[in-house]
Amino acid sequence: MAGRGGDERMSRSFLGEGAVRLELTLALTGKTAAAFGAIGFASLSPFVRDEFSLSGFGVGGIMGLVFVGAIIATVPGGRLTDRVSAGRMLGATLLLQAAALGLVAGAPSVAVFYLAIALNGFAMGAGDPATNVLVSANVPRRRRGLVMGIKQTGFAVGGLLGGLVLPSVAEAAGWRVAVVVPIATCAAVGLLGYWAGGVGAASPQKVATEPIRAASLLGMGSYGFFMAGVQLSVVGLMAIYLIDQHALSATTAGLAIAVTLAGGMIGRIVWGVISDRLVQSRFATLQLAAVGAGAALAVLSVVGAQPVLWPVLFVLGFCALGWNTVYVTVAAESVPATSVGRATGAVLFFSYAGALLVPPLLGMLVDGTDSWAMTWLVAAAVVGAGLVAFTVASRRLAAHA
């Protein structure tokens, strides 16, 4: 059984608590540093737009290319992680990300800038499975959801750090100088990872040839595609919605988004705890998160009074942004221990694809219908589609857990 294989790897934790803590710290800081360098860069987009005279489409393409690079890298990155030291894999990808950011900072033209941005996303996607392996190998199943949740908050923390730190540096010294901060961060954590080494390489003979059966992968992938698509849509469209539909100021809209993101960060930990202790199956936890997200989107389509809006946004963030923890944990526990990198890389491919494709489609729906109510109802239906596909596949997945 794949679950037993994951717990068997826990025997290595008895080799020393210090090594285990180092590897778990590396997983969290690695996730945070990668997000700081990739997602946090979005806060510098106004400065880049002014220097290169980018259109709105060109500005949107910055994050789009990050996810294109991640989509290309996540599957091969997962495969390679299962064959080398996870710590060194993470370290190498962070060093590659630092190099890509160096190319961004020195880009003489917009073409070179975009190429470097795509390479930045490639490095982030390639390193993501290694963080999952570091957690899966060091934490017993009964606590894995919680620890994976803490690790997954690194994505949001990295993005928030970008918003808090980089614009002020850019205003004082220019955006190219500001990029030095994530360069130094990625390089420092990358060197730590390469030095620490982390989980040892699996022998090629022990690597499973089919991490997840095709039908099960399709179900997991559908859930990740639709939920991640709605997740990024909520983050990307919320400010416009709040300003246009509720006449909030830009500052108040920013505070509302912060409430939504706070719900997501709390949700990533709480859903992990729920899946560890309060339900019999992690599959049920994912189903509950999807139901909550769909319900919150449906309520958002009709909500009027602002006092009602705030708790709805928190619940929306809690469910629509907090599910990732359990999603990655299910993938890790559905395969032999030697294939965790491949499995999590495969399902992350679908998540990144949804994050790239769904938000523009919902944005086009807003433009075409001029109806936010219709847009949020369609988003709820998208969540429902992912839930149905996952529910059908969950029985197959349970056989491997």
mmCIF file of all heavy atoms in Angstrom, residues 339-389:
data_model
loop_
_atom_site.group_PDB
_atom_site.id
_atom_site.type_symbol
_atom_site.label_atom_id
_atom_site.label_comp_id
_atom_site.label_asym_id
_atom_site.label_seq_id
_atom_site.Cartn_x
_atom_site.Cartn_y
_atom_site.Cartn_z
ATOM 1 N N SER A 339 7.616 7.582 -5.179
ATOM 2 C CA SER A 339 7.018 8.303 -6.312
ATOM 3 C C SER A 339 6.270 9.553 -5.886
ATOM 4 O O SER A 339 5.467 10.078 -6.647
ATOM 5 C CB SER A 339 6.064 7.373 -7.072
ATOM 6 O OG SER A 339 6.756 6.336 -7.706
ATOM 7 N N VAL A 340 6.511 10.045 -4.669
ATOM 8 C CA VAL A 340 5.809 11.228 -4.182
ATOM 9 C C VAL A 340 6.094 12.436 -5.078
ATOM 10 O O VAL A 340 5.201 13.222 -5.396
ATOM 11 C CB VAL A 340 6.194 11.527 -2.721
ATOM 12 C CG1 VAL A 340 5.664 12.886 -2.285
ATOM 13 C CG2 VAL A 340 5.647 10.433 -1.810
ATOM 14 N N GLY A 341 7.334 12.605 -5.480
ATOM 15 C CA GLY A 341 7.677 13.732 -6.346
ATOM 16 C C GLY A 341 6.927 13.686 -7.662
ATOM 17 O O GLY A 341 6.377 14.689 -8.115
ATOM 18 N N ARG A 342 6.877 12.514 -8.284
ATOM 19 C CA ARG A 342 6.184 12.377 -9.568
ATOM 20 C C ARG A 342 4.694 12.635 -9.415
ATOM 21 O O ARG A 342 4.080 13.301 -10.251
ATOM 22 C CB ARG A 342 6.403 10.973 -10.128
ATOM 23 C CG ARG A 342 7.860 10.647 -10.441
ATOM 24 C CD ARG A 342 7.978 9.234 -11.001
ATOM 25 N NE ARG A 342 7.418 9.146 -12.338
ATOM 26 C CZ ARG A 342 7.196 7.998 -12.975
ATOM 27 N NH1 ARG A 342 7.456 6.854 -12.358
ATOM 28 N NH2 ARG A 342 6.712 7.990 -14.181
ATOM 29 N N ALA A 343 4.100 12.092 -8.356
ATOM 30 C CA ALA A 343 2.657 12.228 -8.163
ATOM 31 C C ALA A 343 2.262 13.676 -7.898
ATOM 32 O O ALA A 343 1.325 14.205 -8.513
ATOM 33 C CB ALA A 343 2.195 11.328 -7.026
ATOM 34 N N THR A 344 2.957 14.334 -6.981
ATOM 35 C CA THR A 344 2.615 15.718 -6.672
ATOM 36 C C THR A 344 2.948 16.631 -7.850
ATOM 37 O O THR A 344 2.228 17.598 -8.103
ATOM 38 C CB THR A 344 3.333 16.190 -5.399
ATOM 39 O OG1 THR A 344 4.747 16.041 -5.544
ATOM 40 C CG2 THR A 344 2.861 15.392 -4.192
ATOM 41 N N GLY A 345 4.004 16.326 -8.581
ATOM 42 C CA GLY A 345 4.306 17.105 -9.777
ATOM 43 C C GLY A 345 3.207 16.988 -10.815
ATOM 44 O O GLY A 345 2.842 17.974 -11.469
ATOM 45 N N ALA A 346 2.645 15.776 -10.956
ATOM 46 C CA ALA A 346 1.587 15.561 -11.942
ATOM 47 C C ALA A 346 0.326 16.339 -11.604
ATOM 48 O O ALA A 346 -0.271 16.994 -12.461
ATOM 49 C CB ALA A 346 1.273 14.066 -12.051
ATOM 50 N N VAL A 347 -0.103 16.296 -10.335
ATOM 51 C CA VAL A 347 -1.332 17.007 -9.988
ATOM 52 C C VAL A 347 -1.107 18.521 -9.965
ATOM 53 O O VAL A 347 -2.032 19.294 -10.260
ATOM 54 C CB VAL A 347 -1.913 16.517 -8.642
ATOM 55 C CG1 VAL A 347 -2.305 15.051 -8.739
ATOM 56 C CG2 VAL A 347 -0.951 16.734 -7.489
ATOM 57 N N LEU A 348 0.106 18.964 -9.627
ATOM 58 C CA LEU A 348 0.392 20.393 -9.663
ATOM 59 C C LEU A 348 0.367 20.929 -11.094
ATOM 60 O O LEU A 348 0.052 22.104 -11.319
ATOM 61 C CB LEU A 348 1.749 20.675 -9.018
ATOM 62 C CG LEU A 348 1.785 20.587 -7.490
ATOM 63 C CD1 LEU A 348 3.219 20.661 -6.982
ATOM 64 C CD2 LEU A 348 0.934 21.680 -6.857
ATOM 65 N N PHE A 349 0.677 20.073 -12.066
ATOM 66 C CA PHE A 349 0.576 20.475 -13.467
ATOM 67 C C PHE A 349 -0.841 20.964 -13.766
ATOM 68 O O PHE A 349 -1.039 22.011 -14.396
ATOM 69 C CB PHE A 349 0.929 19.282 -14.369
ATOM 70 C CG PHE A 349 0.622 19.511 -15.826
ATOM 71 C CD1 PHE A 349 1.542 20.105 -16.657
ATOM 72 C CD2 PHE A 349 -0.600 19.133 -16.361
ATOM 73 C CE1 PHE A 349 1.262 20.326 -18.002
ATOM 74 C CE2 PHE A 349 -0.900 19.337 -17.700
ATOM 75 C CZ PHE A 349 0.042 19.941 -18.521
ATOM 76 N N PHE A 350 -1.841 20.219 -13.315
ATOM 77 C CA PHE A 350 -3.229 20.601 -13.559
ATOM 78 C C PHE A 350 -3.588 21.883 -12.815
ATOM 79 O O PHE A 350 -4.318 22.744 -13.330
ATOM 80 C CB PHE A 350 -4.174 19.474 -13.139
ATOM 81 C CG PHE A 350 -4.142 18.280 -14.054
ATOM 82 C CD1 PHE A 350 -3.318 17.202 -13.772
ATOM 83 C CD2 PHE A 350 -4.922 18.235 -15.191
ATOM 84 C CE1 PHE A 350 -3.277 16.096 -14.607
ATOM 85 C CE2 PHE A 350 -4.894 17.135 -16.037
ATOM 86 C CZ PHE A 350 -4.068 16.067 -15.746
ATOM 87 N N SER A 351 -3.084 22.033 -11.598
ATOM 88 C CA SER A 351 -3.373 23.243 -10.829
ATOM 89 C C SER A 351 -2.808 24.481 -11.521
ATOM 90 O O SER A 351 -3.490 25.508 -11.647
ATOM 91 C CB SER A 351 -2.786 23.125 -9.413
ATOM 92 O OG SER A 351 -3.382 22.075 -8.705
ATOM 93 N N TYR A 352 -1.562 24.384 -11.957
ATOM 94 C CA TYR A 352 -0.963 25.521 -12.645
ATOM 95 C C TYR A 352 -1.703 25.829 -13.949
ATOM 96 O O TYR A 352 -1.866 26.995 -14.320
ATOM 97 C CB TYR A 352 0.509 25.238 -12.937
ATOM 98 C CG TYR A 352 1.417 25.324 -11.731
ATOM 99 C CD1 TYR A 352 2.398 24.365 -11.497
ATOM 100 C CD2 TYR A 352 1.314 26.371 -10.829
ATOM 101 C CE1 TYR A 352 3.240 24.435 -10.392
ATOM 102 C CE2 TYR A 352 2.144 26.450 -9.729
ATOM 103 C CZ TYR A 352 3.107 25.481 -9.514
ATOM 104 O OH TYR A 352 3.928 25.561 -8.423
ATOM 105 N N ALA A 353 -2.152 24.790 -14.646
ATOM 106 C CA ALA A 353 -2.885 25.002 -15.891
ATOM 107 C C ALA A 353 -4.205 25.722 -15.626
ATOM 108 O O ALA A 353 -4.594 26.638 -16.363
ATOM 109 C CB ALA A 353 -3.141 23.660 -16.581
ATOM 110 N N GLY A 354 -4.905 25.326 -14.560
ATOM 111 C CA GLY A 354 -6.146 26.004 -14.217
ATOM 112 C C GLY A 354 -5.914 27.449 -13.839
ATOM 113 O O GLY A 354 -6.678 28.347 -14.228
ATOM 114 N N ALA A 355 -4.836 27.693 -13.086
ATOM 115 C CA ALA A 355 -4.504 29.062 -12.689
ATOM 116 C C ALA A 355 -4.195 29.935 -13.893
ATOM 117 O O ALA A 355 -4.427 31.149 -13.874
ATOM 118 C CB ALA A 355 -3.322 29.048 -11.730
ATOM 119 N N LEU A 356 -3.691 29.325 -14.942
ATOM 120 C CA LEU A 356 -3.355 30.081 -16.154
ATOM 121 C C LEU A 356 -4.573 30.343 -17.030
ATOM 122 O O LEU A 356 -4.727 31.443 -17.582
ATOM 123 C CB LEU A 356 -2.296 29.301 -16.954
ATOM 124 C CG LEU A 356 -1.884 29.905 -18.302
ATOM 125 C CD1 LEU A 356 -1.179 31.243 -18.101
ATOM 126 C CD2 LEU A 356 -0.974 28.930 -19.059
ATOM 127 N N LEU A 357 -5.473 29.359 -17.150
ATOM 128 C CA LEU A 357 -6.530 29.422 -18.158
ATOM 129 C C LEU A 357 -7.875 29.936 -17.645
ATOM 130 O O LEU A 357 -8.579 30.647 -18.369
ATOM 131 C CB LEU A 357 -6.730 28.029 -18.780
ATOM 132 C CG LEU A 357 -5.521 27.464 -19.529
ATOM 133 C CD1 LEU A 357 -5.817 26.048 -20.012
ATOM 134 C CD2 LEU A 357 -5.153 28.357 -20.708
ATOM 135 N N VAL A 358 -8.273 29.581 -16.443
ATOM 136 C CA VAL A 358 -9.616 29.925 -15.973
ATOM 137 C C VAL A 358 -9.808 31.422 -15.711
ATOM 138 O O VAL A 358 -10.832 31.994 -16.127
ATOM 139 C CB VAL A 358 -9.991 29.091 -14.728
ATOM 140 C CG1 VAL A 358 -11.335 29.542 -14.154
ATOM 141 C CG2 VAL A 358 -10.058 27.615 -15.096
ATOM 142 N N PRO A 359 -8.881 32.122 -15.028
ATOM 143 C CA PRO A 359 -9.116 33.545 -14.753
ATOM 144 C C PRO A 359 -9.375 34.397 -16.004
ATOM 145 O O PRO A 359 -10.307 35.219 -15.984
ATOM 146 C CB PRO A 359 -7.825 33.978 -14.030
ATOM 147 C CG PRO A 359 -7.354 32.724 -13.365
ATOM 148 C CD PRO A 359 -7.663 31.631 -14.343
ATOM 149 N N PRO A 360 -8.606 34.237 -17.105
ATOM 150 C CA PRO A 360 -8.933 35.039 -18.285
ATOM 151 C C PRO A 360 -10.330 34.749 -18.839
ATOM 152 O O PRO A 360 -11.010 35.657 -19.322
ATOM 153 C CB PRO A 360 -7.849 34.637 -19.294
ATOM 154 C CG PRO A 360 -6.738 34.101 -18.489
ATOM 155 C CD PRO A 360 -7.384 33.438 -17.317
ATOM 156 N N LEU A 361 -10.764 33.490 -18.759
ATOM 157 C CA LEU A 361 -12.097 33.137 -19.273
ATOM 158 C C LEU A 361 -13.195 33.784 -18.435
ATOM 159 O O LEU A 361 -14.181 34.308 -18.978
ATOM 160 C CB LEU A 361 -12.264 31.616 -19.289
ATOM 161 C CG LEU A 361 -11.356 30.863 -20.272
ATOM 162 C CD1 LEU A 361 -11.562 29.361 -20.138
ATOM 163 C CD2 LEU A 361 -11.638 31.313 -21.704
ATOM 164 N N LEU A 362 -13.034 33.770 -17.115
ATOM 165 C CA LEU A 362 -14.018 34.440 -16.274
ATOM 166 C C LEU A 362 -13.961 35.958 -16.467
ATOM 167 O O LEU A 362 -14.993 36.641 -16.404
ATOM 168 C CB LEU A 362 -13.793 34.078 -14.809
ATOM 169 C CG LEU A 362 -14.137 32.631 -14.412
ATOM 170 C CD1 LEU A 362 -13.837 32.390 -12.932
ATOM 171 C CD2 LEU A 362 -15.600 32.316 -14.705
ATOM 172 N N GLY A 363 -12.772 36.481 -16.703
ATOM 173 C CA GLY A 363 -12.660 37.906 -17.002
ATOM 174 C C GLY A 363 -13.383 38.269 -18.290
ATOM 175 O O GLY A 363 -14.056 39.310 -18.372
ATOM 176 N N MET A 364 -13.268 37.400 -19.292
ATOM 177 C CA MET A 364 -14.007 37.625 -20.549
ATOM 178 C C MET A 364 -15.507 37.557 -20.311
ATOM 179 O O MET A 364 -16.280 38.296 -20.938
ATOM 180 C CB MET A 364 -13.584 36.573 -21.576
ATOM 181 C CG MET A 364 -12.167 36.740 -22.097
ATOM 182 S SD MET A 364 -11.646 35.359 -23.155
ATOM 183 C CE MET A 364 -12.871 35.493 -24.472
ATOM 184 N N LEU A 365 -15.942 36.684 -19.395
ATOM 185 C CA LEU A 365 -17.368 36.584 -19.085
ATOM 186 C C LEU A 365 -17.881 37.880 -18.460
ATOM 187 O O LEU A 365 -18.989 38.344 -18.776
ATOM 188 C CB LEU A 365 -17.604 35.407 -18.141
ATOM 189 C CG LEU A 365 -19.057 35.149 -17.716
ATOM 190 C CD1 LEU A 365 -19.916 34.816 -18.935
ATOM 191 C CD2 LEU A 365 -19.117 34.012 -16.705
ATOM 192 N N VAL A 366 -17.091 38.470 -17.579
ATOM 193 C CA VAL A 366 -17.475 39.753 -16.991
ATOM 194 C C VAL A 366 -17.625 40.811 -18.076
ATOM 195 O O VAL A 366 -18.612 41.562 -18.125
ATOM 196 C CB VAL A 366 -16.432 40.208 -15.947
ATOM 197 C CG1 VAL A 366 -16.758 41.613 -15.455
ATOM 198 C CG2 VAL A 366 -16.395 39.247 -14.774
ATOM 199 N N ASP A 367 -16.641 40.866 -18.981
ATOM 200 C CA ASP A 367 -16.686 41.863 -20.049
ATOM 201 C C ASP A 367 -17.879 41.635 -20.971
ATOM 202 O O ASP A 367 -18.526 42.591 -21.427
ATOM 203 C CB ASP A 367 -15.395 41.808 -20.868
ATOM 204 C CG ASP A 367 -14.181 42.272 -20.082
ATOM 205 O OD1 ASP A 367 -14.371 42.995 -19.080
ATOM 206 O OD2 ASP A 367 -13.052 41.901 -20.453
ATOM 207 N N GLY A 368 -18.177 40.364 -21.260
ATOM 208 C CA GLY A 368 -19.237 40.058 -22.218
ATOM 209 C C GLY A 368 -20.634 40.217 -21.666
ATOM 210 O O GLY A 368 -21.557 40.588 -22.405
ATOM 211 N N THR A 369 -20.827 39.941 -20.381
ATOM 212 C CA THR A 369 -22.165 39.987 -19.785
ATOM 213 C C THR A 369 -22.397 41.209 -18.911
ATOM 214 O O THR A 369 -23.547 41.544 -18.614
ATOM 215 C CB THR A 369 -22.412 38.729 -18.927
ATOM 216 O OG1 THR A 369 -21.495 38.728 -17.822
ATOM 217 C CG2 THR A 369 -22.214 37.462 -19.753
ATOM 218 N N ASP A 370 -21.314 41.846 -18.494
ATOM 219 C CA ASP A 370 -21.390 42.967 -17.557
ATOM 220 C C ASP A 370 -22.177 42.569 -16.311
ATOM 221 O O ASP A 370 -22.920 43.377 -15.745
ATOM 222 C CB ASP A 370 -22.025 44.186 -18.231
ATOM 223 C CG ASP A 370 -21.787 45.470 -17.435
ATOM 224 O OD1 ASP A 370 -20.754 45.552 -16.728
ATOM 225 O OD2 ASP A 370 -22.632 46.380 -17.499
ATOM 226 N N SER A 371 -22.008 41.302 -15.902
ATOM 227 C CA SER A 371 -22.759 40.787 -14.758
ATOM 228 C C SER A 371 -21.820 40.028 -13.827
ATOM 229 O O SER A 371 -21.359 38.931 -14.162
ATOM 230 C CB SER A 371 -23.884 39.862 -15.227
ATOM 231 O OG SER A 371 -24.492 39.209 -14.122
ATOM 232 N N TRP A 372 -21.571 40.616 -12.664
ATOM 233 C CA TRP A 372 -20.761 39.919 -11.673
ATOM 234 C C TRP A 372 -21.522 38.748 -11.066
ATOM 235 O O TRP A 372 -20.936 37.722 -10.726
ATOM 236 C CB TRP A 372 -20.317 40.885 -10.576
ATOM 237 C CG TRP A 372 -19.191 41.761 -11.000
ATOM 238 C CD1 TRP A 372 -19.251 43.081 -11.342
ATOM 239 C CD2 TRP A 372 -17.824 41.375 -11.149
ATOM 240 N NE1 TRP A 372 -18.004 43.544 -11.697
ATOM 241 C CE2 TRP A 372 -17.107 42.513 -11.585
ATOM 242 C CE3 TRP A 372 -17.135 40.192 -10.967
ATOM 243 C CZ2 TRP A 372 -15.736 42.503 -11.821
ATOM 244 C CZ3 TRP A 372 -15.768 40.165 -11.202
ATOM 245 C CH2 TRP A 372 -15.084 41.298 -11.621
ATOM 246 N N ALA A 373 -22.837 38.896 -10.936
ATOM 247 C CA ALA A 373 -23.639 37.794 -10.397
ATOM 248 C C ALA A 373 -23.500 36.560 -11.276
ATOM 249 O O ALA A 373 -23.291 35.439 -10.776
ATOM 250 C CB ALA A 373 -25.104 38.216 -10.284
ATOM 251 N N MET A 374 -23.609 36.739 -12.573
ATOM 252 C CA MET A 374 -23.451 35.619 -13.502
ATOM 253 C C MET A 374 -22.044 35.030 -13.415
ATOM 254 O O MET A 374 -21.856 33.807 -13.411
ATOM 255 C CB MET A 374 -23.732 36.089 -14.930
ATOM 256 C CG MET A 374 -23.476 35.026 -15.998
ATOM 257 S SD MET A 374 -24.609 33.634 -15.868
ATOM 258 C CE MET A 374 -26.129 34.431 -16.433
ATOM 259 N N THR A 375 -21.043 35.879 -13.300
ATOM 260 C CA THR A 375 -19.655 35.416 -13.241
ATOM 261 C C THR A 375 -19.411 34.549 -12.018
ATOM 262 O O THR A 375 -18.799 33.475 -12.105
ATOM 263 C CB THR A 375 -18.699 36.615 -13.239
ATOM 264 O OG1 THR A 375 -18.896 37.380 -14.432
ATOM 265 C CG2 THR A 375 -17.246 36.153 -13.161
ATOM 266 N N TRP A 376 -19.886 34.996 -10.850
ATOM 267 C CA TRP A 376 -19.664 34.215 -9.634
ATOM 268 C C TRP A 376 -20.481 32.926 -9.643
ATOM 269 O O TRP A 376 -20.025 31.906 -9.110
ATOM 270 C CB TRP A 376 -19.983 35.037 -8.398
ATOM 271 C CG TRP A 376 -19.101 36.229 -8.181
ATOM 272 C CD1 TRP A 376 -19.488 37.504 -7.881
ATOM 273 C CD2 TRP A 376 -17.665 36.276 -8.251
ATOM 274 N NE1 TRP A 376 -18.410 38.339 -7.769
ATOM 275 C CE2 TRP A 376 -17.269 37.610 -7.985
ATOM 276 C CE3 TRP A 376 -16.679 35.336 -8.524
ATOM 277 C CZ2 TRP A 376 -15.933 38.014 -7.974
ATOM 278 C CZ3 TRP A 376 -15.337 35.748 -8.513
ATOM 279 C CH2 TRP A 376 -14.981 37.056 -8.233
ATOM 280 N N LEU A 377 -21.654 32.942 -10.265
ATOM 281 C CA LEU A 377 -22.429 31.704 -10.376
ATOM 282 C C LEU A 377 -21.740 30.707 -11.302
ATOM 283 O O LEU A 377 -21.732 29.498 -11.037
ATOM 284 C CB LEU A 377 -23.841 32.014 -10.883
ATOM 285 C CG LEU A 377 -24.786 32.653 -9.863
ATOM 286 C CD1 LEU A 377 -26.107 33.041 -10.531
ATOM 287 C CD2 LEU A 377 -25.038 31.719 -8.686
ATOM 288 N N VAL A 378 -21.165 31.201 -12.385
ATOM 289 C CA VAL A 378 -20.401 30.322 -13.279
ATOM 290 C C VAL A 378 -19.180 29.768 -12.552
ATOM 291 O O VAL A 378 -18.831 28.594 -12.689
ATOM 292 C CB VAL A 378 -19.997 31.068 -14.569
ATOM 293 C CG1 VAL A 378 -18.997 30.247 -15.384
ATOM 294 C CG2 VAL A 378 -21.227 31.374 -15.415
ATOM 295 N N ALA A 379 -18.528 30.612 -11.754
ATOM 296 C CA ALA A 379 -17.390 30.137 -10.964
ATOM 297 C C ALA A 379 -17.824 29.036 -10.002
ATOM 298 O O ALA A 379 -17.107 28.041 -9.811
ATOM 299 C CB ALA A 379 -16.764 31.301 -10.190
ATOM 300 N N ALA A 380 -19.009 29.194 -9.401
ATOM 301 C CA ALA A 380 -19.532 28.146 -8.521
ATOM 302 C C ALA A 380 -19.778 26.863 -9.300
ATOM 303 O O ALA A 380 -19.507 25.758 -8.804
ATOM 304 C CB ALA A 380 -20.823 28.623 -7.849
ATOM 305 N N ALA A 381 -20.272 26.989 -10.530
ATOM 306 C CA ALA A 381 -20.494 25.814 -11.366
ATOM 307 C C ALA A 381 -19.168 25.142 -11.740
ATOM 308 O O ALA A 381 -19.086 23.915 -11.833
ATOM 309 C CB ALA A 381 -21.254 26.211 -12.634
ATOM 310 N N VAL A 382 -18.129 25.951 -11.938
ATOM 311 C CA VAL A 382 -16.795 25.409 -12.230
ATOM 312 C C VAL A 382 -16.299 24.580 -11.056
ATOM 313 O O VAL A 382 -15.757 23.480 -11.226
ATOM 314 C CB VAL A 382 -15.819 26.556 -12.551
ATOM 315 C CG1 VAL A 382 -14.381 26.051 -12.576
ATOM 316 C CG2 VAL A 382 -16.172 27.197 -13.890
ATOM 317 N N VAL A 383 -16.493 25.096 -9.844
ATOM 318 C CA VAL A 383 -16.133 24.337 -8.647
ATOM 319 C C VAL A 383 -16.915 23.034 -8.599
ATOM 320 O O VAL A 383 -16.374 21.968 -8.268
ATOM 321 C CB VAL A 383 -16.392 25.177 -7.377
ATOM 322 C CG1 VAL A 383 -16.263 24.314 -6.124
ATOM 323 C CG2 VAL A 383 -15.417 26.340 -7.308
ATOM 324 N N GLY A 384 -18.200 23.109 -8.939
ATOM 325 C CA GLY A 384 -19.027 21.913 -8.946
ATOM 326 C C GLY A 384 -18.526 20.872 -9.917
ATOM 327 O O GLY A 384 -18.550 19.668 -9.633
ATOM 328 N N ALA A 385 -18.052 21.312 -11.084
ATOM 329 C CA ALA A 385 -17.519 20.370 -12.066
ATOM 330 C C ALA A 385 -16.296 19.646 -11.516
ATOM 331 O O ALA A 385 -16.151 18.429 -11.689
ATOM 332 C CB ALA A 385 -17.159 21.121 -13.350
ATOM 333 N N GLY A 386 -15.419 20.385 -10.855
ATOM 334 C CA GLY A 386 -14.256 19.752 -10.242
ATOM 335 C C GLY A 386 -14.650 18.788 -9.149
ATOM 336 O O GLY A 386 -14.051 17.715 -8.999
ATOM 337 N N LEU A 387 -15.678 19.149 -8.379
ATOM 338 C CA LEU A 387 -16.141 18.285 -7.293
ATOM 339 C C LEU A 387 -16.707 16.973 -7.829
ATOM 340 O O LEU A 387 -16.421 15.896 -7.290
ATOM 341 C CB LEU A 387 -17.197 19.018 -6.470
ATOM 342 C CG LEU A 387 -17.886 18.225 -5.354
ATOM 343 C CD1 LEU A 387 -16.868 17.734 -4.337
ATOM 344 C CD2 LEU A 387 -18.958 19.076 -4.686
ATOM 345 N N VAL A 388 -17.493 17.057 -8.895
ATOM 346 C CA VAL A 388 -18.080 15.846 -9.474
ATOM 347 C C VAL A 388 -16.988 14.918 -9.992
ATOM 348 O O VAL A 388 -16.999 13.705 -9.734
ATOM 349 C CB VAL A 388 -19.065 16.215 -10.599
ATOM 350 C CG1 VAL A 388 -19.474 14.964 -11.381
ATOM 351 C CG2 VAL A 388 -20.301 16.900 -10.036
ATOM 352 N N ALA A 389 -16.026 15.484 -10.727
ATOM 353 C CA ALA A 389 -14.950 14.659 -11.278
ATOM 354 C C ALA A 389 -14.142 14.000 -10.158
ATOM 355 O O ALA A 389 -13.782 12.822 -10.248
ATOM 356 C CB ALA A 389 -14.033 15.514 -12.156
#
